[in-house]
Amino acid sequence: VQLQASGGGAVQAGDSLRLSCTVSESTLSFYGMGWFRQVQGKEREFVASCLINGRTTYYTDSVKGRFTVSRDNAKNMVYLQMNNLKPEDTAVYYCAADRFYDARSIDGVTYWGEGTLVTVSS
């Protein structure tokens, strides 16, 4: 299974970006799908995830109200809409697929995509 993330870039604080993740297998095979991020020298951290029903979502506190995670099971896609970006959102963002759980735990993730870099300047 391959996950390909795209949409990263360099933006100013307050701008928006939309990350997309293309999955080579039906996303209906994965109970939870979501996004993690990692800053160099730090551990990878959970950002947001969406369950297979497309309605149940989870967010880390620092992005609540600014980020929106969604999935399109018909297109085998996962998205992360990021609004009002802040410098502390700067990181490499990774798409994650969790076959059995909610994709909130690194240990539960079944497949990882290659990261896409998001850089937010003040």
Side-chain angles (χ1 to χ4, degrees):
V1 178
Q2 293 184 338
L3 285 70
Q4 182 64 52
S6 61
V11 297
Q12 297 285 326
D15 287 348
S16 298
L17 280 175
R18 188 194 196 203
L19 304 184
S20 299
C21 177
T22 303
V23 187
S24 64
E25 182 175 314
S26 171
T27 52
L28 290 173
S29 299
F30 301 100
Y31 184 69
M33 297 208 66
W35 297 88
F36 288 70
R37 64 188 180 187
Q38 188 169 21
V39 176
Q40 191 172 5
K42 295 188 176 181
E43 293 186 355
R44 191 170 297 187
E45 66 171 2
F46 168 76
V47 176
S49 67
C50 183
L51 299 188
I52 193 170
N53 62 14
R55 297 186 300 276
T56 306
T57 56
Y58 302 97
Y59 298 93
T60 192
D61 286 346
S62 63
V63 308
K64 286 180 181 177
R66 300 188 298 120
F67 290 13
T68 302
V69 62
S70 61
R71 61 193 286 175
D72 187 335
N73 293 325
K75 296 182 179 179
N76 299 330
M77 298 285 294
V78 183
Y79 306 99
L80 185 67
Q81 177 66 44
M82 305 185 294
N83 297 330
N84 190 22
L85 282 160
K86 302 177 179 181
E88 51 264 43
D89 295 319
T90 296
V92 177
Y93 284 73
Y94 295 90
C95 179
D98 190 332
R99 219 178 267 286
F100 304 111
Y101 302 105
D102 56 19
R104 288 195 287 177
S105 169
I106 289 176
D107 292 340
V109 172
T110 313
Y111 297 103
W112 293 98
E114 294 186 1
T116 184
L117 177 63
V118 172
T119 303
V120 185
S121 56
S122 58

